[in-house]
Amino acid sequence: MTKTSKKPDPLAQKTAMWADQYAFTMAQALFENGKHDQVTTFHGYIRTNPYSGGYLLTAGQNILMEWLENWSFDDDDIELLREEVAVDPKTGKPKRLYSDEFLDMLKNAKLEVSVDMMPEGEIAFPDEPIVRVHGPVWQCLMLEAAILNTINSQSLFATLASRFREIAGNKTVLELGLRRAQMLGGLEATRAAYIGGIDGTSNYLAKKHYGIPTSGTMAHAMVMLYEDELQAFKDYAKAMPHNTVFLVDTYDSLQGVRNAIATCKEMGIAMKGIRLDSGDLAYLSQKARLLLDEAGYKDAKIAASNDLDEKTIASLIEQGAKIDIWGIGTNLVTSKTQPALGGVYKLGAIYGNGLTMDDIEKLRGQDGEKLSSQMQGVVKLSEQTIKTSIPGDLDVVRFMKKDHLGHWQYDGDMIYDRQDGEFVSDSDNADYPKALNRNTESVRKYDETLSKVFNAGTHLYHPLKPAFDKGSRVRDIEDVHTARKRAQDSLAKLHYGHKRLLNPHTYVAGLENKLFERRRKKILKIRRGKGRINHG
């Protein structure tokens, strides 16, 4: 593994305190009872696709990798925790929340978990693990908040941006939302939106930290400072002869277009374009196009902004708007249509007391039957069916097929329990060198009557990739440009039907048949036992 030369990410925290309080209270309880080092497996995943869409474009994993590499508690963290108190309900007096022994354990702790993550820019679907964390239960609990905080927000913005990208086709899409974003320089939304497919941003801080291309010309204030719009345009063009995109709607949009034309004619310079920021954008863009073409500026671009969202852009395209550049602000950087993703982090498996991570790894490679006897998949039930989790130490495979043009496409995913062993073999295909070694049935999570059989020889790959092995990073931290390229490749392999804005076709991540049956029996056992279950 090579060392990354990437600059520190301003979004990556440099403290293990990026966590919720309940992680610490549970950790102390487990510590006091000698269970804090029990090995467990947790999974981070989504329950539904955002925006009523057909997929999730994942992002944020590289931020997490940088954070995990710096995971530790410093002296200030320990002192903060030492001062934490809870009021004794009997006496009304404050009592320390954490013991000295527990705090000593935290102070000396090093990251021990193994973490597998889908690479940034990979596509995911409901129920399949985007992140898998395996190791001492107290550390697994400590990572929950940061994982969800990062993956939920970054993936939400990346997915939304990819939807704008899909609508716009080959037209330019710019993110212009810094002034409406949620602080920290608007970096979070801009970063993820670039991975999702925007072409550039107005945000210079994003260029400084991530190298995202920037774009920008003038605001209404530039025109309003002058008594005459034409003079404002001339002074701007004199100073910026190679960046002549004029904001034309300060007073009268079409007169603004005429003034922009007159400026460039008089000064003998080429016009890059105009921007419309209000009014009937379809009508104004059509009229502006005629004016520009008649003046000989057929290459001048027409940009549009003004609280654009997915439906508005789709409608303008249907109306025949002559818009070359879409500038999207508030509705992108605030994800106004869906402010939160709702990804979750749930315990999937626990291992017998005394088993170390090395023991488990050895058994997985040499004695799967013995490992199964010492591993217990656990499930969370709910009156809401969607909240019932999947037990086990889970992984996912993605099946591939070629379309009629010979291009690779995704053909379905299957979630399986690693205790059942692998079912892949090597193949001689250069693109996907792994294939099924036997016929396999993938069953819909909520309906066993809906299943699909994948035949032996079907090409596949594992979206989950190792990131940390027992606390040590084992893959490079990538930059946003690499993640963006992966996102483009991933989306290209997803059939258009799954990318539709309205009523997208359902892409199924089914459960391997053995896992489906094991889950069903476990749910029945718990319900018939009124919530009691022996973990063995």
Side-chain angles (χ1 to χ4, degrees):
M1 183 193 70
T2 59
K3 283 287 185 181
T4 177
S5 60
K6 178 177 171 290
K7 294 185 294 185
D9 194 312
L11 295 176
Q13 304 295 316
K14 300 299 187 290
T15 170
M17 294 291 281
W18 192 3
D20 285 320
Q21 182 173 335
Y22 77 175
F24 291 86
T25 56
M26 287 189 289
Q28 165 135 330
L30 293 167
F31 176 79
E32 295 291 342
N33 289 280
K35 292 177 68 68
H36 64 296
D37 278 331
Q38 184 166 11
V39 179
T40 55
T41 302
F42 284 73
H43 308 100
Y45 59 96
I46 60 169
R47 289 170 172 150
T48 59
N49 292 317
Y51 312 111
S52 300
Y55 64 91
L56 178 78
L57 180 60
T58 69
Q61 293 93 318
N62 288 301
I63 296 173
L64 284 172
M65 287 176 65
E66 187 170 323
W67 172 65
L68 287 167
E69 196 165 42
N70 292 280
W71 189 90
S72 64
F73 296 96
D74 62 24
D75 291 342
D76 289 341
D77 298 334
I78 299 302
E79 287 310 305
L80 184 152
L81 294 169
R82 198 182 305 279
E83 294 171 2
E84 284 287 277
V85 296
V87 175
D88 187 323
K90 288 185 177 181
T91 66
K93 294 181 179 180
K95 299 289 185 180
R96 278 185 56 187
L97 200 56
Y98 306 113
S99 68
D100 287 335
E101 293 79 10
F102 174 67
L103 295 179
D104 286 342
M105 189 270 287
L106 294 186
K107 185 175 181 178
N108 297 314
K110 302 296 182 184
L111 190 70
E112 299 176 53
V113 297
S114 292
V115 182
D116 296 270
M117 301 184 194
M118 292 186 182
E120 222 173 354
E122 182 66 89
I123 288 178
F125 302 95
D127 296 312
E128 59 189 29
I130 299 168
V131 179
R132 181 178 63 224
V133 182
H134 175 73
V137 61
W138 79 271
Q139 289 197 3
C140 292
L141 291 169
M142 289 285 179
L143 305 188
E144 175 187 17
I147 287 172
L148 294 183
N149 184 206
T150 305
I151 298 295
N152 274 335
S153 57
Q154 285 285 287
S155 300
L156 188 74
F157 289 125
T159 305
L160 180 55
S162 74
R163 288 164 64 84
F164 281 116
R165 174 78 277 158
E166 182 69 21
I167 299 168
N170 61 359
K171 302 297 185 182
T172 298
V173 180
L174 301 176
E175 179 272 303
L176 309 177
L178 175 58
R179 289 160 293 148
R180 309 289 174 82
Q182 314 296 352
M183 198 42 199
L184 198 58
L187 287 174
E188 181 182 28
T190 304
R191 180 190 186 279
Y194 182 68
I195 291 171
I198 64 161
D199 297 290
T201 178
S202 63
N203 187 345
Y204 252 137
L205 198 59
K207 181 162 193 160
K208 174 181 177 178
H209 286 295
Y210 300 117
I212 297 174
T214 50
S215 180
T217 55
M218 63 169 66
H220 294 111
M222 179 69 195
V223 178
M224 295 166 67
L225 281 167
Y226 293 76
E227 292 185 6
D228 178 54
E229 182 180 63
L230 183 59
Q231 189 59 50
F233 285 177
K234 288 179 180 179
D235 281 7
Y236 183 83
K238 182 180 178 181
M240 292 279 172
H242 308 299
N243 194 39
T244 51
V245 178
F246 300 93
L247 180 60
V248 298
D249 74 322
T250 305
Y251 304 119
D252 179 293
S253 296
L254 295 181
Q255 183 56 45
V257 177
R258 296 185 184 97
N259 285 337
I261 291 170
T263 296
C264 293
K265 290 287 188 183
E266 180 178 330
M267 300 181 70
I269 59 177
M271 185 193 299
K272 290 186 70 173
I274 63 163
R275 178 162 71 96
L276 298 165
D277 191 46
S278 59
D280 185 336
L281 295 178
Y283 169 80
L284 291 172
S285 67
Q286 291 164 352
K287 292 295 185 182
R289 185 74 270 162
L290 288 173
L291 291 171
L292 292 169
D293 289 352
E294 289 172 358
Y297 296 118
K298 293 185 177 182
D299 293 331
K301 305 297 184 184
I302 298 176
S305 48
N306 189 29
D307 286 335
L308 297 174
D309 59 19
E310 297 158 286
K311 292 181 180 178
T312 303
I313 293 175
S315 175
L316 287 167
I317 292 172
E318 287 180 2
Q319 295 173 60
K322 301 297 183 180
I323 295 170
D324 305 294
I325 301 169
W326 300 97
I328 308 166
T330 304
N331 290 302
L332 175 53
V333 300
T334 66
S335 187
K336 199 171 182 179
T337 55
Q338 183 180 326
L341 178 59
V344 295
Y345 182 83
K346 297 298 178 186
L347 176 64
I350 59 177
Y351 298 83
N353 271 324
L355 275 184
T356 66
M357 294 175 69
D358 287 335
D359 293 335
I360 294 165
E361 189 173 306
K362 186 176 181 181
L363 287 172
R364 180 171 285 121
Q366 298 180 2
D367 194 342
E369 186 174 330
K370 184 176 181 181
L371 176 61
S372 295
S373 70
Q374 298 193 55
M375 185 199 100
Q376 177 68 44
V378 294
V379 63
K380 178 208 176 295
L381 297 190
S382 173
E383 284 73 21
Q384 296 173 263
T385 305
I386 198 171
K387 288 192 171 184
T388 299
S389 65
I390 301 171
D393 180 355
L394 306 179
D395 206 335
V396 60
V397 290
R398 181 158 296 157
F399 298 106
M400 306 298 298
K401 68 176 183 181
K402 285 190 174 181
D403 64 15
H404 65 288
L405 297 175
H407 300 142
W408 286 107
Q409 282 196 322
Y410 300 142
D411 192 34
D413 290 11
M414 186 176 72
I415 303 166
Y416 67 98
D417 191 333
R418 291 201 293 169
Q419 73 166 304
D420 293 325
E422 285 289 353
F423 39 86
V424 300
S425 58
D426 294 335
S427 77
D428 57 3
N429 185 277
D431 294 323
Y432 294 97
K434 296 293 182 182
L436 277 176
N437 60 19
R438 63 179 184 271
N439 294 348
T440 304
E441 185 178 14
S442 176
V443 185
R444 295 276 188 102
K445 177 182 174 184
Y446 302 118
D447 189 348
E448 60 189 301
T449 67
L450 295 173
S451 65
K452 182 174 181 178
V453 174
F454 294 92
N455 294 321
T458 301
H459 295 290
L460 56 82
Y461 74 97
H462 290 78
L464 273 179
K465 307 292 186 185
F468 283 78
D469 180 28
K470 294 188 275 298
S472 297
R473 180 166 62 84
V474 294
R475 80 175 192 229
D476 288 342
I477 299 174
E478 300 171 336
D479 61 27
V480 293
H481 308 288
T482 303
R484 172 186 170 85
K485 178 61 167 61
R486 182 179 293 108
Q488 292 170 340
D489 293 343
S490 298
L491 289 164
K493 292 182 177 71
L494 187 65
H495 187 272
Y496 169 75
H498 303 300
K499 295 184 279 190
R500 289 196 300 254
L501 297 188
L502 297 176
N503 301 316
H505 189 64
T506 300
Y507 184 99
V508 179
L511 307 188
E512 193 269 334
N513 191 48
K514 289 181 182 177
L515 175 58
F516 180 90
E517 282 300 315
R518 189 181 298 118
R519 177 178 182 268
R520 184 180 67 83
K521 290 177 181 178
K522 191 173 293 290
I523 291 171
L524 287 174
K525 181 178 180 180
I526 295 173
R527 294 203 188 283
R528 290 169 179 171
K530 297 182 180 179
R532 297 187 301 275
I533 186 166
N534 177 18
H535 291 314

